[in-house]
Amino acid sequence: MPGIRGPSEYSQEPPRHPCLKINSKEPFNAEPPRAALVSSYVTPVDLFYKRNHGPIPVVDDLERYCVSITGLQGAEKTLSMKDIWNLPKYTIAATLQCAGNRRTAMSSTKQVRGVGWDIAALGNAVWGGAKLADVLQLVGIPYNSRVTPSGGKHVEFVSIDKCKEENGGPYKASITLSQATNPEADVLLAYEMNGETLNRDHGYPLRGIVPGVIGARSVKWLDSINIIAEECQGFFMQKDYKTFPPSVNWDNIDWSTRRPQMDFPVQCAICSLEDENIVPTSKITVQGYAASGGGRGIERVDVSIDGGKTWVEASRYQKPGVPYTADDESNSDKWAWVLFEAEVNIPKNAVIVAKAVDTAANVQPENVETIWNLRGILNTSWHRVNVKVSHSNL
Amino acid sequence: MPGIRGPSEYSQEPPRHPCLKINSKEPFNAEPPRAALVSSYVTPVDLFYKRNHGPIPVVDDLERYCVSITGLQGAEKTLSMKDIWNLPKYTIAATLQCAGNRRTAMSSTKQVRGVGWDIAALGNAVWGGAKLADVLQLVGIPYNSRVTPSGGKHVEFVSIDKCKEENGGPYKASITLSQATNPEADVLLAYEMNGETLNRDHGYPLRGIVPGVIGARSVKWLDSINIIAEECQGFFMQKDYKTFPPSVNWDNIDWSTRRPQMDFPVQCAICSLEDENIVPTSKITVQGYAASGGGRGIERVDVSIDGGKTWVEASRYQKPGVPYTADDESNSDKWAWVLFEAEVNIPKNAVIVAKAVDTAANVQPENVETIWNLRGILNTSWHRVNVKVSHSNL
């Protein structure tokens, strides 16, 4: 699609919300203030974290835009936006989380490499689009396929962006054919976010949304979808976003020994407080988010005001009625976060801690040291903030 | 089925292996010695843990044995063993773990209620049988159903046993219709274990096997399978096997506030050593198992000889070639444990620790206190053993 690919420089970046905390300007990586996350169940588009590896592509001729699908039996197919729009539209509430969320705190033990993030490199949106399972069915691959007749077992998304050289080409990632063709996995080719046309920062005109998986696999600005035998060999699948033990460093790393990270572990963080706080009264409300990967819901969130010695259970204030077209409404939020709150009465100096438990009874690790990894991904350690009550009100 | 139900007393119990450690005699609850678990990838039937709530049923007339399926449109259906045998047979390697595994160690902080178990209330077997999805298809419920035309959303297994009064009837449990009708979920009606006819202790002639879920849902000695609107209301679904926060005790417990536990978290334990060991040499091999629920595989196991300050990665010695009929052989062990080993050189006094990471990057909690719960389920804290090297060999 010559003429509608992205610029190679940063001269055509879209406008951004002034409250965003910029962690890297070019490529643009930014997160909202903590408190913004807990002000609404659905994160506003302009406050949703921005994670990029290159300049934002410009697609100004939607008529000429199309997605090619390769690796099929016979010739490749090309789908226009009209073809996508003609498929049944689904709206799915799904939380996306950058694998690097909370990376900055992981560096506090020992330096890690990567863009620094506080705790807001995630957001919850209502994504609108066609199910990838329907798109693949349209081009001849049935629901719930594990392998195609020609041996395809993975579905690769390739972006039209021009990201950094380390990648050797456009951004790409893959998921298994099983997940892609399972309509219950809710993988979307999304063209809407929170009821509006997807904006440029979030993948206009079309992006993948892979619920329950680290954000890095939800590829923006789709160029092609390839049915392939082996998982994607791109940089961000093979040389990044893998989880290593603490003993691996940049001298002894062997990327081939690990799988690309897909699913993510149970996570939560306090958003109503900063790392260090002075508050006027001892009675405060602690608010935050909790999420787990793979469609595992949150069972509960525990909050402590004494550094983790004793705990109270937080309540949820997640809004009901999130749109979802599924038959079983009890699953309507399976890909989405839970917002929690707890009213607590704190002493003059308090270390407030939050930790979540998911439906599989997985828990967060107490200390970041035990999950330290050189790329600083998936810091899910107990989230702690320090609070002092100001003298005048004691 | 009058005449082929179980005895109400313990006069007809089957013979058991003399090495089993008996935690409760009536009903019979027993586990093998730790070391037995790591001597083979497939746990021998007679060393597989036995978990019962009543006397072992006697089914001595297989011609008369049948399973009724209720909650269908129209009359209930009755399936004989021949009907089950006539369906395609699958063999699935799946680890079953009692939710109470490692309960005894949870009581070391603060007493919990329930049968005491060391670390061997789990085992890995190759189960042979029909897929529940095929059985339900045979009686008119299609693959991948979320709800039946009459509103059925759950599939309840009811045993022919007569378990303790607390239960108010036979043992039962349910899973969702989605899981039951999904052929990839590999839920079986099993009649074989490790290539032999299921024995009485393990559910002869027919039992449910629900891979990736706590053992309590794999109901033995099936009497009926009921398609129901709400999840099973039996004792073991509603008043047991739920995960509560540490703040809940027997005075303030409200069972209705929690979901029945289904999926389970990442787990591992060292089996080649006891809690206290004296070994002749400082060079030892640490062996154990690791498993996670929901089909999430094990990413790695870390072993420490200094109580958790530093770690080395264990290797796997899981045997390849486990039978599975799936197209994608990379998934052949998704429901099964991993056996690990690490060669270590220990100081005179060592605290050896093991912890596992699953493919979702979930980790085990460092301390049992933080996951303490009054029923003592799902103790997945780091497993520690103390080792002393005897003087003569230093």
Side-chain angles (χ1 to χ4, degrees):
Chain A
M1 288 182 288
I4 62 169
R5 282 168 187 270
S8 57
E9 297 303 328
Y10 293 91
S11 58
Q12 298 183 62
E13 295 288 288
R16 273 98 180 206
H17 195 289
C19 288
L20 290 175
K21 293 189 284 180
I22 298 171
N23 299 320
S24 144
K25 204 175 169 195
E26 294 179 353
F28 190 75
N29 288 294
E31 65 189 301
R34 293 181 177 189
L37 284 188
V38 285
S39 65
S40 62
Y41 177 70
V42 174
T43 311
V45 173
D46 55 358
L47 290 168
F48 202 98
Y49 77 102
K50 321 293 177 198
R51 177 74 181 105
N52 296 299
H53 293 273
I56 308 298
V58 181
V59 177
D60 50 18
D61 186 352
L62 212 57
E63 295 285 320
R64 289 177 64 199
Y65 175 83
C66 58
V67 176
S68 57
I69 304 187
T70 75
L72 304 169
Q73 291 205 286
E76 75 174 57
K77 299 237 162 88
T78 299
L79 297 180
S80 68
M81 282 307 296
K82 276 191 188 142
D83 296 326
I84 307 284
W85 289 331
N86 280 339
L87 290 167
K89 178 182 168 187
Y90 290 83
T91 52
I92 309 283
T95 295
L96 289 192
Q97 178 178 215
C98 176
N101 191 29
R102 303 183 61 199
R103 176 179 285 136
T104 300
M106 192 173 273
S107 274
S108 66
T109 332
K110 190 175 150 193
Q111 188 66 38
V112 299
R113 274 190 210 165
V115 176
W117 295 96
D118 186 43
I119 65 168
L122 91 172
N124 189 48
V126 178
W127 307 96
K131 285 202 183 183
L132 179 58
D134 290 341
V135 172
L136 294 177
Q137 193 182 47
L138 183 70
V139 297
I141 304 175
Y143 278 3
N144 299 306
S145 293
R146 296 182 76 127
V147 59
T148 64
S150 50
K153 287 184 178 178
H154 300 266
V155 177
E156 180 182 63
F157 304 109
V158 182
S159 172
I160 61 177
D161 77 348
K162 292 184 177 170
C163 69
K164 280 161 59 181
E165 278 309 300
E166 62 194 1
N167 179 28
Y171 190 94
K172 53 190 176 181
S174 68
I175 62 174
T176 64
L177 186 70
S178 295
Q179 185 175 14
T181 58
N182 177 3
E184 306 241 337
D186 289 336
V187 181
L188 295 184
L189 297 192
Y191 45 80
E192 283 185 7
M193 183 178 181
N194 298 351
E196 295 170 10
T197 301
L198 208 56
N199 75 9
R200 285 180 56 213
D201 257 337
H202 292 287
Y204 176 84
L206 193 66
R207 69 174 297 175
I209 291 292
V210 188
V213 159
I214 61 167
R217 313 311 178 201
S218 287
V219 177
K220 299 190 274 192
W221 316 292
L222 287 174
D223 185 13
S224 66
I225 295 172
N226 307 313
I227 315 303
I228 53 181
E230 303 293 331
E231 70 188 9
C232 167
Q233 295 300 304
F235 178 88
F236 296 102
M237 285 287 282
Q238 299 303 333
K239 303 249 170 148
D240 201 351
Y241 300 128
K242 292 184 173 185
T243 304
F244 286 87
S247 56
V248 171
N249 59 47
W250 294 106
D251 295 324
N252 65 15
I253 190 168
D254 177 357
W255 289 98
S256 71
T257 56
R258 312 287 151 169
R259 290 179 265 218
Q261 190 67 46
M262 302 302 289
D263 197 346
F264 62 84
V266 60
Q267 171 74 290
C268 86
I270 298 165
C271 298
S272 56
L273 294 162
E274 298 297 321
D275 283 338
E276 304 288 337
N277 306 265
I278 297 176
V279 296
T281 87
S282 60
K283 192 168 182 178
I284 64 170
T285 302
V286 177
Q287 296 181 312
Y289 64 78
S292 194
R296 295 178 295 283
I298 294 297
E299 178 64 21
R300 68 169 205 272
V301 177
D302 298 324
V303 172
S304 171
I305 58 167
D306 55 11
K309 289 188 199 78
T310 61
W311 301 88
V312 294
E313 189 175 353
S315 60
R316 297 166 183 235
Y317 65 96
Q318 172 178 328
K319 291 185 185 62
V322 181
Y324 186 85
T325 56
D327 293 323
D328 185 353
E329 287 181 352
S330 66
N331 277 334
S332 68
D333 61 355
K334 67 182 289 194
W335 309 117
W337 66 14
V338 162
L339 299 183
F340 67 86
E341 69 178 15
E343 305 274 348
V344 293
N345 230 315
I346 58 172
K348 191 181 172 192
N349 292 290
V351 179
I352 303 186
V353 193
K355 65 179 175 74
V357 180
D358 74 11
T359 54
N362 277 303
V363 297
Q364 297 177 238
E366 189 170 338
N367 298 304
V368 68
E369 292 79 4
T370 64
I371 52 166
W372 186 94
N373 61 87
L374 75 173
R375 269 296 276 117
I377 68 168
L378 298 173
N379 178 9
T380 56
S381 57
W382 292 4
H383 189 225
R384 295 170 172 87
V385 295
N386 296 303
V387 184
K388 277 187 192 191
V389 183
S390 59
H391 281 285
S392 55
N393 290 277
L394 271 184
Chain B
M1 289 180 287
I4 62 166
R5 282 167 186 272
S8 56
E9 299 302 329
Y10 293 91
S11 58
Q12 298 183 63
E13 296 287 286
R16 273 96 180 206
H17 196 288
C19 288
L20 291 174
K21 292 189 284 179
I22 298 171
N23 299 320
S24 145
K25 202 175 169 196
E26 295 179 353
F28 190 74
N29 288 293
E31 65 189 300
R34 293 180 178 189
L37 285 187
V38 285
S39 66
S40 63
Y41 177 69
V42 174
T43 311
V45 173
D46 54 357
L47 289 169
F48 202 97
Y49 78 102
K50 321 293 176 197
R51 176 73 181 104
N52 296 297
H53 293 274
I56 307 300
V58 181
V59 177
D60 50 18
D61 186 351
L62 211 58
E63 294 285 319
R64 291 176 65 199
Y65 175 83
C66 59
V67 176
S68 58
I69 304 187
T70 76
L72 303 170
Q73 292 203 287
E76 75 174 57
K77 300 238 162 88
T78 298
L79 298 181
S80 66
M81 282 306 296
K82 274 190 190 145
D83 295 326
I84 307 284
W85 290 331
N86 280 338
L87 290 166
K89 179 183 167 185
Y90 291 83
T91 52
I92 309 283
T95 295
L96 288 191
Q97 178 178 214
C98 177
N101 190 31
R102 304 183 60 199
R103 176 179 285 135
T104 300
M106 191 173 274
S107 274
S108 66
T109 334
K110 191 175 150 192
Q111 188 65 38
V112 299
R113 274 191 209 164
V115 176
W117 295 97
D118 186 44
I119 64 168
L122 91 171
N124 188 49
V126 178
W127 307 95
K131 285 203 182 182
L132 179 57
D134 289 340
V135 172
L136 294 176
Q137 191 182 49
L138 183 71
V139 298
I141 304 174
Y143 278 3
N144 298 306
S145 294
R146 295 181 77 128
V147 59
T148 64
S150 51
K153 288 183 178 176
H154 299 266
V155 177
E156 181 181 63
F157 304 108
V158 183
S159 171
I160 61 177
D161 76 347
K162 293 183 177 171
C163 70
K164 281 160 63 182
E165 278 308 300
E166 62 194 3
N167 178 28
Y171 190 93
K172 53 191 177 183
S174 68
I175 62 174
T176 64
L177 186 69
S178 295
Q179 185 175 14
T181 58
N182 176 3
E184 305 240 338
D186 289 335
V187 180
L188 294 184
L189 298 191
Y191 44 80
E192 283 185 7
M193 182 177 182
N194 297 351
E196 294 171 11
T197 302
L198 208 56
N199 75 10
R200 286 179 58 213
D201 257 336
H202 292 286
Y204 176 84
L206 194 68
R207 69 173 297 173
I209 290 292
V210 187
V213 159
I214 60 167
R217 313 312 178 199
S218 287
V219 177
K220 300 190 273 191
W221 317 292
L222 287 174
D223 185 13
S224 66
I225 295 172
N226 308 312
I227 315 302
I228 54 181
E230 304 292 331
E231 70 188 11
C232 167
Q233 295 300 304
F235 178 88
F236 296 103
M237 284 288 282
Q238 299 302 332
K239 303 247 169 150
D240 201 352
Y241 300 127
K242 292 184 172 185
T243 305
F244 286 87
S247 57
V248 172
N249 58 48
W250 293 106
D251 295 325
N252 65 13
I253 189 168
D254 178 356
W255 289 97
S256 71
T257 57
R258 313 286 151 170
R259 289 179 265 217
Q261 190 66 47
M262 302 301 288
D263 197 347
F264 62 86
V266 60
Q267 170 74 290
C268 86
I270 298 164
C271 298
S272 56
L273 295 162
E274 298 298 319
D275 284 336
E276 304 289 338
N277 305 267
I278 297 175
V279 296
T281 87
S282 60
K283 192 166 183 180
I284 63 170
T285 302
V286 177
Q287 296 180 312
Y289 64 78
S292 194
R296 295 179 295 284
I298 294 297
E299 179 63 22
R300 69 170 204 272
V301 178
D302 298 325
V303 171
S304 172
I305 58 167
D306 55 13
K309 289 188 201 78
T310 60
W311 301 88
V312 294
E313 190 175 353
S315 60
R316 300 167 180 231
Y317 66 94
Q318 172 177 326
K319 292 186 185 61
V322 180
Y324 187 85
T325 56
D327 294 323
D328 186 351
E329 287 182 351
S330 66
N331 278 332
S332 67
D333 61 354
K334 69 183 286 195
W335 309 116
W337 67 14
V338 162
L339 299 183
F340 66 86
E341 69 178 15
E343 304 275 348
V344 292
N345 231 315
I346 58 171
K348 190 180 173 193
N349 291 291
V351 179
I352 302 186
V353 194
K355 65 179 175 72
V357 180
D358 73 12
T359 55
N362 277 302
V363 296
Q364 296 178 238
E366 189 170 339
N367 298 303
V368 69
E369 293 79 4
T370 64
I371 52 166
W372 186 93
N373 61 87
L374 76 174
R375 268 297 275 117
I377 68 169
L378 297 172
N379 178 9
T380 55
S381 57
W382 293 3
H383 189 227
R384 295 169 172 89
V385 296
N386 296 303
V387 183
K388 277 187 193 189
V389 183
S390 58
H391 282 283
S392 55
N393 290 278
L394 271 184

